[in-house]
CSV table of all heavy atoms in Angstrom, one decimal:
chain,number,residue,atom,x,y,z
B,80,ALA,N,-8.6,217.6,123.2
B,80,ALA,CA,-9.6,216.9,122.3
B,80,ALA,C,-9.0,215.8,121.5
B,80,ALA,O,-7.9,215.6,121.3
B,80,ALA,CB,-10.0,217.9,121.2
B,81,GLU,N,-9.9,214.8,121.2
B,81,GLU,CA,-9.6,213.6,120.4
B,81,GLU,C,-10.0,213.9,119.0
B,81,GLU,O,-10.9,214.7,118.7
B,81,GLU,CB,-10.5,212.4,120.9
B,81,GLU,CG,-10.2,212.0,122.3
B,81,GLU,CD,-11.2,210.9,122.7
B,81,GLU,OE1,-11.5,209.9,121.9
B,81,GLU,OE2,-11.7,211.0,123.9
B,82,GLU,N,-9.2,213.2,118.0
B,82,GLU,CA,-9.5,213.3,116.7
B,82,GLU,C,-10.3,212.1,116.2
B,82,GLU,O,-10.0,210.9,116.7
B,82,GLU,CB,-8.2,213.3,115.9
B,82,GLU,CG,-7.3,214.4,115.8
B,82,GLU,CD,-6.2,214.4,114.9
B,82,GLU,OE1,-5.6,213.3,114.8
B,82,GLU,OE2,-5.8,215.3,114.4
B,83,LYS,N,-11.3,212.3,115.4
B,83,LYS,CA,-12.0,211.2,114.9
B,83,LYS,C,-12.8,211.5,113.5
B,83,LYS,O,-12.7,212.8,113.2
B,83,LYS,CB,-13.2,210.6,115.9
B,83,LYS,CG,-14.2,211.7,116.1
B,83,LYS,CD,-15.2,211.0,117.3
B,83,LYS,CE,-16.4,211.7,117.3
B,83,LYS,NZ,-17.4,210.9,118.1
B,84,ILE,N,-13.3,210.7,112.7
B,84,ILE,CA,-14.0,211.0,111.7
B,84,ILE,C,-15.5,210.9,112.1
B,84,ILE,O,-16.1,210.0,112.7
B,84,ILE,CB,-13.9,210.0,110.5
B,84,ILE,CG1,-12.3,209.9,110.1
B,84,ILE,CG2,-14.8,210.2,109.3
B,84,ILE,CD1,-11.9,211.1,109.3
B,85,SER,N,-16.3,212.1,111.8
B,85,SER,CA,-17.6,212.3,112.2
B,85,SER,C,-18.3,213.0,110.9
B,85,SER,O,-17.7,213.9,110.5
B,85,SER,CB,-17.8,213.0,113.5
B,85,SER,OG,-19.2,213.1,113.8
B,86,TRP,N,-19.5,212.6,110.6
B,86,TRP,CA,-20.2,213.1,109.4
B,86,TRP,C,-19.1,213.1,108.2
B,86,TRP,O,-19.0,214.0,107.4
B,86,TRP,CB,-20.5,214.5,109.6
B,86,TRP,CG,-21.5,214.7,110.7
B,86,TRP,CD1,-21.1,215.2,112.0
B,86,TRP,CD2,-22.8,214.6,110.8
B,86,TRP,NE1,-22.3,215.2,112.8
B,86,TRP,CE2,-23.3,214.8,112.2
B,86,TRP,CE3,-23.7,214.2,109.9
B,86,TRP,CZ2,-24.6,214.8,112.4
B,86,TRP,CZ3,-25.1,213.9,110.2
B,86,TRP,CH2,-25.5,214.3,111.5
B,87,SER,N,-18.3,212.0,108.2
B,87,SER,CA,-17.2,211.8,107.1
B,87,SER,C,-16.3,212.8,107.0
B,87,SER,O,-15.5,213.1,105.9
B,87,SER,CB,-18.0,211.7,105.7
B,87,SER,OG,-19.0,210.6,105.7
B,88,MET,N,-16.1,213.6,108.1
B,88,MET,CA,-15.0,214.7,108.1
B,88,MET,C,-14.1,214.5,109.4
B,88,MET,O,-14.6,214.0,110.4
B,88,MET,CB,-15.8,216.0,108.1
B,88,MET,CG,-16.5,216.5,107.1
B,88,MET,SD,-17.2,218.1,107.2
B,88,MET,CE,-18.5,217.8,108.3
B,89,PRO,N,-12.9,215.0,109.1
B,89,PRO,CA,-11.9,215.1,110.3
B,89,PRO,C,-12.6,216.0,111.5
B,89,PRO,O,-13.2,217.0,111.1
B,89,PRO,CB,-10.7,215.6,109.8
B,89,PRO,CG,-10.7,215.2,108.3
B,89,PRO,CD,-12.1,215.4,108.0
B,90,THR,N,-12.8,215.4,112.6
B,90,THR,CA,-13.5,216.2,113.6
B,90,THR,C,-12.7,216.1,115.0
B,90,THR,O,-12.0,215.3,115.2
B,90,THR,CB,-14.8,215.4,114.0
B,90,THR,OG1,-15.6,215.3,112.8
B,90,THR,CG2,-15.6,216.0,115.1
B,91,PHE,N,-12.7,217.2,115.8
B,91,PHE,CA,-12.1,217.3,117.0
B,91,PHE,C,-13.2,217.2,118.0
B,91,PHE,O,-14.2,217.9,117.9
B,91,PHE,CB,-11.2,218.6,117.2
B,91,PHE,CG,-10.0,218.4,116.5
B,91,PHE,CD1,-9.9,218.7,115.1
B,91,PHE,CD2,-8.9,218.1,117.3
B,91,PHE,CE1,-8.6,218.5,114.5
B,91,PHE,CE2,-7.6,218.0,116.6
B,91,PHE,CZ,-7.5,218.2,115.2
B,92,TRP,N,-13.1,216.3,119.0
B,92,TRP,CA,-14.2,215.8,119.8
B,92,TRP,C,-13.8,215.9,121.4
B,92,TRP,O,-12.6,215.4,121.6
B,92,TRP,CB,-14.6,214.5,119.5
B,92,TRP,CG,-15.7,213.8,120.2
B,92,TRP,CD1,-17.0,214.0,119.9
B,92,TRP,CD2,-15.6,213.0,121.4
B,92,TRP,NE1,-17.8,213.2,120.8
B,92,TRP,CE2,-17.0,212.6,121.6
B,92,TRP,CE3,-14.7,212.6,122.1
B,92,TRP,CZ2,-17.3,211.8,122.7
B,92,TRP,CZ3,-15.0,211.7,123.2
B,92,TRP,CH2,-16.3,211.3,123.5
B,93,LYS,N,-14.6,216.3,122.2
B,93,LYS,CA,-14.4,216.1,123.6
B,93,LYS,C,-15.7,216.1,124.3
B,93,LYS,O,-16.4,217.2,124.6
B,93,LYS,CB,-13.4,217.2,124.3
B,93,LYS,CG,-13.3,217.2,125.7
B,93,LYS,CD,-11.9,216.7,126.0
B,93,LYS,CE,-11.7,216.9,127.4
B,93,LYS,NZ,-11.4,216.4,128.5
B,94,GLY,N,-16.3,214.9,124.4
B,94,GLY,CA,-17.7,214.7,124.9
B,94,GLY,C,-18.8,215.2,123.8
B,94,GLY,O,-20.0,214.8,124.0
B,95,HIS,N,-18.4,215.8,122.9
B,95,HIS,CA,-19.2,216.3,121.8
B,95,HIS,C,-18.3,216.8,120.6
B,95,HIS,O,-17.1,217.0,120.9
B,95,HIS,CB,-20.3,217.4,122.2
B,95,HIS,CG,-19.7,218.6,122.6
B,95,HIS,ND1,-19.0,219.6,121.9
B,95,HIS,CD2,-19.5,219.2,124.0
B,95,HIS,CE1,-18.4,220.6,122.6
B,95,HIS,NE2,-18.7,220.2,123.8
B,96,ASN,N,-18.9,216.9,119.5
B,96,ASN,CA,-18.0,217.4,118.3
B,96,ASN,C,-17.7,219.0,118.6
B,96,ASN,O,-18.7,219.7,118.8
B,96,ASN,CB,-18.8,217.3,117.0
B,96,ASN,CG,-18.9,215.8,116.6
B,96,ASN,OD1,-18.2,214.9,117.1
B,96,ASN,ND2,-19.9,215.5,115.8
B,97,ILE,N,-16.5,219.3,118.5
B,97,ILE,CA,-16.1,220.7,118.8
B,97,ILE,C,-16.1,221.5,117.3
B,97,ILE,O,-16.7,222.5,117.3
B,97,ILE,CB,-14.8,220.8,119.4
B,97,ILE,CG1,-14.9,220.1,120.8
B,97,ILE,CG2,-14.3,222.3,119.6
B,97,ILE,CD1,-13.6,219.8,121.4
B,98,ILE,N,-15.3,220.8,116.4
B,98,ILE,CA,-15.1,221.5,115.1
B,98,ILE,C,-14.7,220.5,114.2
B,98,ILE,O,-14.1,219.5,114.5
B,98,ILE,CB,-14.0,222.6,115.4
B,98,ILE,CG1,-13.9,223.6,114.1
B,98,ILE,CG2,-12.6,222.0,115.6
B,98,ILE,CD1,-13.2,224.9,114.3
B,99,HIS,N,-15.2,220.7,112.9
B,99,HIS,CA,-14.9,219.7,111.8
B,99,HIS,C,-14.0,220.5,110.7
B,99,HIS,O,-14.2,221.7,110.5
B,99,HIS,CB,-16.1,219.3,111.1
B,99,HIS,CG,-17.2,218.7,111.9
B,99,HIS,ND1,-17.2,217.4,112.4
B,99,HIS,CD2,-18.4,219.3,112.4
B,99,HIS,CE1,-18.4,217.2,113.0
B,99,HIS,NE2,-19.1,218.3,113.1
B,100,PHE,N,-13.4,219.8,109.9
B,100,PHE,CA,-12.8,220.4,108.8
B,100,PHE,C,-12.8,219.4,107.6
B,100,PHE,O,-12.9,218.2,107.8
B,100,PHE,CB,-11.4,221.0,108.9
B,100,PHE,CG,-10.4,219.9,109.2
B,100,PHE,CD1,-9.4,219.5,108.2
B,100,PHE,CD2,-10.1,219.5,110.5
B,100,PHE,CE1,-8.4,218.6,108.4
B,100,PHE,CE2,-9.1,218.6,110.8
B,100,PHE,CZ,-8.2,218.2,109.8
B,101,ALA,N,-12.7,219.8,106.3
B,101,ALA,CA,-12.8,218.9,105.2
B,101,ALA,C,-12.1,219.5,103.9
B,101,ALA,O,-12.0,220.7,103.9
B,101,ALA,CB,-14.2,218.5,104.9
B,102,GLY,N,-11.6,218.6,103.1
B,102,GLY,CA,-11.1,219.1,101.9
B,102,GLY,C,-12.0,219.0,100.8
B,102,GLY,O,-12.7,218.1,100.6
B,103,PHE,N,-12.0,220.0,100.0
B,103,PHE,CA,-12.8,220.0,98.7
B,103,PHE,C,-11.9,220.4,97.6
B,103,PHE,O,-10.7,220.5,97.7
B,103,PHE,CB,-13.9,221.1,98.9
B,103,PHE,CG,-15.0,220.8,100.0
B,103,PHE,CD1,-14.7,221.1,101.3
B,103,PHE,CD2,-16.0,219.9,99.6
B,103,PHE,CE1,-15.6,220.7,102.2
B,103,PHE,CE2,-17.0,219.5,100.5
B,103,PHE,CZ,-16.8,219.8,101.9
B,104,LYS,N,-12.5,220.6,96.3
B,104,LYS,CA,-11.7,220.7,95.2
B,104,LYS,C,-10.7,221.9,95.3
B,104,LYS,O,-9.6,221.9,94.9
B,104,LYS,CB,-12.5,220.8,94.0
B,104,LYS,CG,-11.8,220.8,92.6
B,104,LYS,CD,-12.7,220.9,91.5
B,104,LYS,CE,-12.1,220.8,90.2
B,104,LYS,NZ,-12.8,221.2,89.1
B,105,ASN,N,-11.3,223.1,95.7
B,105,ASN,CA,-10.6,224.3,95.6
B,105,ASN,C,-10.4,225.0,97.1
B,105,ASN,O,-9.8,225.9,97.3
B,105,ASN,CB,-11.3,225.3,94.8
B,105,ASN,CG,-11.5,225.0,93.4
B,105,ASN,OD1,-10.4,224.5,92.9
B,105,ASN,ND2,-12.6,224.9,92.9
B,106,HIS,N,-10.9,224.3,98.2
B,106,HIS,CA,-10.8,225.0,99.5
B,106,HIS,C,-10.9,223.9,100.6
B,106,HIS,O,-11.3,222.7,100.4
B,106,HIS,CB,-11.9,225.9,99.6
B,106,HIS,CG,-13.3,225.3,99.7
B,106,HIS,ND1,-14.0,225.0,98.6
B,106,HIS,CD2,-14.0,224.9,100.8
B,106,HIS,CE1,-15.2,224.4,99.0
B,106,HIS,NE2,-15.2,224.4,100.3
B,107,VAL,N,-10.4,224.3,101.7
B,107,VAL,CA,-10.6,223.6,103.0
B,107,VAL,C,-12.0,224.3,103.6
B,107,VAL,O,-12.1,225.4,103.7
B,107,VAL,CB,-9.5,223.8,104.0
B,107,VAL,CG1,-9.9,223.3,105.4
B,107,VAL,CG2,-8.3,223.4,103.5
B,108,GLY,N,-12.9,223.3,104.0
B,108,GLY,CA,-14.1,223.7,104.6
B,108,GLY,C,-13.8,223.7,106.2
B,108,GLY,O,-13.4,222.6,106.6
B,109,LEU,N,-14.2,224.7,106.9
B,109,LEU,CA,-14.1,224.6,108.3
B,109,LEU,C,-15.4,224.8,108.9
B,109,LEU,O,-16.2,225.6,108.4
B,109,LEU,CB,-13.3,225.8,108.9
B,109,LEU,CG,-12.9,225.7,110.5
B,109,LEU,CD1,-11.9,224.6,110.6
B,109,LEU,CD2,-12.3,227.0,110.8
B,110,TYR,N,-15.8,223.9,109.8
B,110,TYR,CA,-17.2,223.8,110.2
B,110,TYR,C,-17.2,224.0,111.8
B,110,TYR,O,-17.4,223.1,112.6
B,110,TYR,CB,-17.9,222.4,109.9
B,110,TYR,CG,-17.9,222.2,108.4
B,110,TYR,CD1,-16.8,221.7,107.8
B,110,TYR,CD2,-18.9,222.7,107.6
B,110,TYR,CE1,-16.7,221.5,106.4
B,110,TYR,CE2,-18.9,222.5,106.3
B,110,TYR,CZ,-17.8,221.9,105.7
B,110,TYR,OH,-17.8,221.9,104.2
B,111,PRO,N,-17.3,225.4,112.2
B,111,PRO,CA,-17.3,225.6,113.7
B,111,PRO,C,-18.8,225.8,114.1
B,111,PRO,O,-18.9,226.0,115.4
B,111,PRO,CB,-16.4,226.8,113.8
B,111,PRO,CG,-16.8,227.7,112.4
B,111,PRO,CD,-17.0,226.6,111.5
């Protein structure tokens, strides 16, 4: 997978967005 910023979040991509993650005040958000 390639890394990029998508939807203003770190994203792993291979032909489409696979999974995103992001930093917030008290937690890491994972967006699968």
Side-chain angles (χ1 to χ4, degrees):
E81 293 174 45
E82 287 185 323
K83 64 182 199 173
I84 298 291
S85 182
W86 302 101
S87 303
M88 293 183 279
T90 301
F91 283 82
W92 183 90
K93 177 105 170 115
H95 58 78
N96 291 338
I97 301 165
I98 193 165
H99 310 276
F100 67 96
F103 293 91
K104 189 176 176 193
N105 297 312
H106 68 275
V107 172
L109 188 72
Y110 301 88

